Amino acid sequence: MADELILLDFWPSMFGMRTKIALAEKGVTYEYIETDPWIKTPLLIEMNPIHKKIPVLIHKGKPICESLIQLEYIDEVWSGTHPMLPSDPYQKAQARFWGDFIDKKFYDPSWKVWGTKGEEQVAAKKELLEHFKTLETELGEKTYYGGEVFGFLDIALMGYYSWFKAMEKFGEFSIQTEFPKLTEWTKRCLERESVVKALTDSEKIIEYAYVLRKKFGAE
Amino acid sequence: MATGDVKLIGSWASVFVMRARIALNLKSISYEFLQETYGTKSELLLKSNPVHKKMPVLIHADKPVCESNIIVQYIDEAWSSYGPSILPSQPYDRAIARFWAAYVDDKWFIALRSILTARGEEEKKAAIAEVEERTDHLEKAFIDCSNGKPFFNGDHIGYLDIALGSFLGWWKVVELDASHILLDETKTPSLFKWAERFCNDPAVKPLMPETAKLAEFARKLFPKPEA
C-alpha cells in the first residue's frame, strides 16, 4: 500500500537514488516527497531529528534513516522477492564491507573533485582514482558485484552514477578510459528499469554541481 | 565450543577489537587471539586487511572479515544457532540498532576522541559540550530501544550494547583526562545504570581493560604537547 511507505528524498541525492533502485527492484510502491535538505522542513526534522538529512524512508509512520541501512531494511521486509544481499554470511559481510568503503572512503573525494579547487581538488582526484581502481579490482570479471545477481553493492555504487559525469568533467578524467571493466558493469546495470528510473539526468547534475561550487566558493 | 579455524587479529586496548571478542564470547566460540604489537602492523594484518590495514580482523576458515560492526554481524549470522541473537529479530529494530551503532562511531566517538586531542581549554570545553549533547541522544535512544528492559537489545546484550559499551573503558579514561564526568548519573541515569550492567556481563567482564593500564596506554597514543 503506497500510503504505508513514504520516501523523503532530494532529486540529486546519490543516497536517495540507492533507495529508489532498491524499492523498484522489490516492486514496492511508495509516496515520494521532494525534500530539499538545505531547507529543514518540519517533517524532515520530525523524521530525522539527529541528522536532518535525506533520504528518509517512512514505513507505517516509522522512519528509517541512512541509505545502506534502508537497503538492508527493504531487503529484510520484502524478503520474498529479488534478494539484494547474499544469504551466505561471508558474502554478506563482504557486501557490507564494500558498501562501508564506498561511504567512508569513496564519498569524500567523489564530491571534493567537483566541489573544491586548487590543491584540495588535485588531492581529491588522486584519491578518487585510487578508489575507483580498488572498486574495479573488486568487481574483477564478475557480471555484478553480487556475482550473477544484481544486488546491494551494485545499488550502493550505482547510486553515484548520475554524478559520474560531474566527477569526470571537473576532475578532467574519463571513467571509460581509466576503468573499462567498471564502465561495462555500469552498462549492464543501466539495462535494469529500476536503475534507469531512479537515476537523474547527468547534465542536470552538472548544472547543480555548478550551483554548489558557487555556494562552496570553488567557482 | 572449539572451532580451531577462528582467529582474531587485535589488541587488548582497542574498542573495536573488544566488540568482536564480546560477540565471540556471547556465542561461546573459542579463537586464537593474535595480539598486534603497538607501533607495528603484522604481515598477517596487512595481508588480511589490505584496504584499511586496521584491526580487528576476524579470520574464519582462512577468510578475513573486517570492520568491527560488520564482524559482529558476521559472528551473529555464521553462528546463528549458538547462543543468543546479537541483532534484534525485527527488521525495524535492526535498522534502529544499526542507525545508532553508526551514530556511535561517526558522531559520538569522534567527539569523545576530540577531547583527547583538544589543544587548549576552549577546544576542550567545546568537545566536552559536544560529547554531552550526543550522550544525551544516546540516553533517549536507550529508553526507546530497551523498552524498560536492562539492555538496548532487551533482556540480553546485543549489537548496540556492544557498539557503545565497548567504549566504557576509554570513556572513563577520557573522563579522567578531562577532569569532567562524561557519564553522569543525574543527567543520563539510564545509561549510567546500563553501563554497570554491561560491564558485569560475563561476556564483557574478562575483556574490559583496567582503567589505570588503559590511561597509561592513552598517554602514549595521545601525548600531550609540551607545556
Side-chain angles (χ1 to χ4, degrees), chain A residues 63-66 69 72-73 76, chain B residues 19 69 72-73 76 85-106 138 141-142 144-146 151-154 156-164:
Chain A
I64 299 107
C65 306
E66 301 297 301
I69 294 176
E72 293 222 38
Y73 177 80
E76 287 165 12
Chain B
R19 289 174 174 170
N69 286 337
V72 170
Q73 290 183 83
D76 198 30
S85 270
I86 298 177
L87 270 287
S89 56
Q90 293 305 309
Y92 185 73
D93 298 330
R94 294 157 72 88
I96 294 300
R98 287 175 176 138
F99 173 87
W100 285 111
Y103 180 83
V104 166
D105 282 356
D106 300 340
L138 292 169
F142 178 81
D144 286 341
C145 294
S146 65
F151 299 105
F152 282 94
N153 200 41
H156 309 284
I157 69 171
Y159 183 73
L160 185 50
D161 300 278
I162 294 170
L164 181 61

Side-chain angles (χ1 to χ4, degrees), chain A residues 48 50-51 62-66 69 72-73 76-77 89-90 92-94 96-98 100-101 104-105, chain B residues 49 51-52 63-67 70 73-74 77-78 91-92 94-96 98-100 103 106-107 137:
Chain A
N48 192 354
I50 296 295
H51 301 304
K62 297 203 282 194
I64 299 107
C65 306
E66 301 297 301
I69 294 176
E72 293 222 38
Y73 177 80
E76 287 165 12
V77 171
Y90 182 73
K92 211 183 273 198
Q94 293 302 102
R96 287 174 176 146
F97 174 85
W98 288 107
D100 179 72
F101 172 84
K104 296 271 160 59
K105 296 282 183 184
Chain B
N49 191 357
V51 175
H52 300 302
K63 295 197 289 198
V65 182
C66 308
E67 294 301 298
I70 293 173
Q73 290 183 83
Y74 173 80
E77 290 158 7
Y92 185 73
R94 294 157 72 88
I96 294 300
R98 287 175 176 138
F99 173 87
W100 285 111
Y103 180 83
D106 300 340
K107 297 284 178 191
H137 286 141

Side-chain angles (χ1 to χ4, degrees), chain A residues 110-210:
Chain A
S110 80
W111 78 260
K112 282 182 175 165
V113 80
W114 55 259
T116 63
K117 58 183 179 186
E119 272 177 41
E120 199 178 357
Q121 191 200 26
V122 170
K125 177 183 169 178
K126 181 170 178 280
E127 202 187 331
L128 182 65
L129 293 179
E130 278 167 17
H131 295 330
F132 262 123
K133 185 84 210 143
T134 301
L135 287 166
E136 188 178 58
T137 305
E138 177 54 26
L139 177 68
E141 301 304 321
K142 298 197 292 284
T143 308
Y144 300 109
Y145 279 97
E148 287 309 309
V149 177
F150 175 84
F152 177 86
L153 191 50
D154 302 282
I155 298 172
L157 187 53
M158 273 310 277
Y160 283 84
Y161 180 80
S162 299
W163 286 87
F164 281 2
K165 279 211 162 58
M167 294 177 209
E168 288 176 303
K169 179 190 171 63
F170 293 104
E172 290 174 357
F173 66 95
S174 156
I175 293 174
Q176 172 128 26
T177 307
E178 307 270 353
F179 312 109
K181 281 195 181 140
L182 203 72
T183 304
E184 289 310 302
W185 163 79
T186 65
K187 288 180 184 156
R188 287 191 288 273
C189 294
L190 288 166
E191 288 169 5
R192 302 183 81 80
E193 200 183 335
S194 63
V195 172
V196 169
K197 285 217 164 123
L199 296 178
T200 298
D201 176 55
S202 296
E203 294 305 317
K204 285 208 169 84
I205 292 290
I206 290 174
E207 272 173 42
Y208 184 63
Y210 271 115

Side-chain angles (χ1 to χ4, degrees), chain B residues 179-212:
Chain B
S179 308
H180 188 100
I181 292 178
L182 294 170
L183 185 56
D184 193 311
E185 194 171 1
T186 48
K187 289 185 189 165
T188 54
S190 306
L191 274 187
F192 187 86
K193 293 190 198 85
W194 160 84
E196 203 176 320
R197 287 193 294 270
F198 181 85
C199 288
N200 283 324
D201 189 283
V204 175
K205 207 162 181 181
L207 299 171
M208 199 55 82
E210 282 171 28
T211 308

Side-chain angles (χ1 to χ4, degrees), chain A residues 3-143:
Chain A
D3 57 359
E4 281 196 335
L5 204 53
I6 297 169
L7 181 66
L8 306 184
D9 184 27
F10 189 40
W11 66 270
S13 167
M14 62 283 276
F15 304 112
M17 286 183 226
R18 290 166 164 178
T19 308
K20 287 193 288 192
I21 296 171
L23 290 168
E25 284 285 312
K26 297 289 188 179
V28 177
T29 52
Y30 58 96
E31 184 191 349
Y32 180 90
I33 300 181
E34 188 67 39
T35 307
D36 185 338
W38 296 97
I39 304 162
K40 310 290 177 193
T41 63
L43 183 59
L44 179 62
I45 295 172
E46 184 196 342
M47 290 296 158
N48 192 354
I50 296 295
H51 301 304
K52 304 177 183 63
K53 284 183 177 175
I54 52 86
V56 183
L57 185 68
I58 308 168
H59 190 202
K60 297 181 188 177
K62 297 203 282 194
I64 299 107
C65 306
E66 301 297 301
S67 59
L68 295 185
I69 294 176
Q70 289 162 0
L71 257 50
E72 293 222 38
Y73 177 80
I74 290 164
D75 204 33
E76 287 165 12
V77 171
W78 289 278
S79 56
T81 158
H82 283 111
M84 295 185 317
L85 275 162
S87 53
D88 172 68
Y90 182 73
Q91 297 304 331
K92 211 183 273 198
Q94 293 302 102
R96 287 174 176 146
F97 174 85
W98 288 107
D100 179 72
F101 172 84
I102 290 168
D103 284 354
K104 296 271 160 59
K105 296 282 183 184
F106 180 84
Y107 169 69
D108 218 40
S110 80
W111 78 260
K112 282 182 175 165
V113 80
W114 55 259
T116 63
K117 58 183 179 186
E119 272 177 41
E120 199 178 357
Q121 191 200 26
V122 170
K125 177 183 169 178
K126 181 170 178 280
E127 202 187 331
L128 182 65
L129 293 179
E130 278 167 17
H131 295 330
F132 262 123
K133 185 84 210 143
T134 301
L135 287 166
E136 188 178 58
T137 305
E138 177 54 26
L139 177 68
E141 301 304 321
K142 298 197 292 284
T143 308

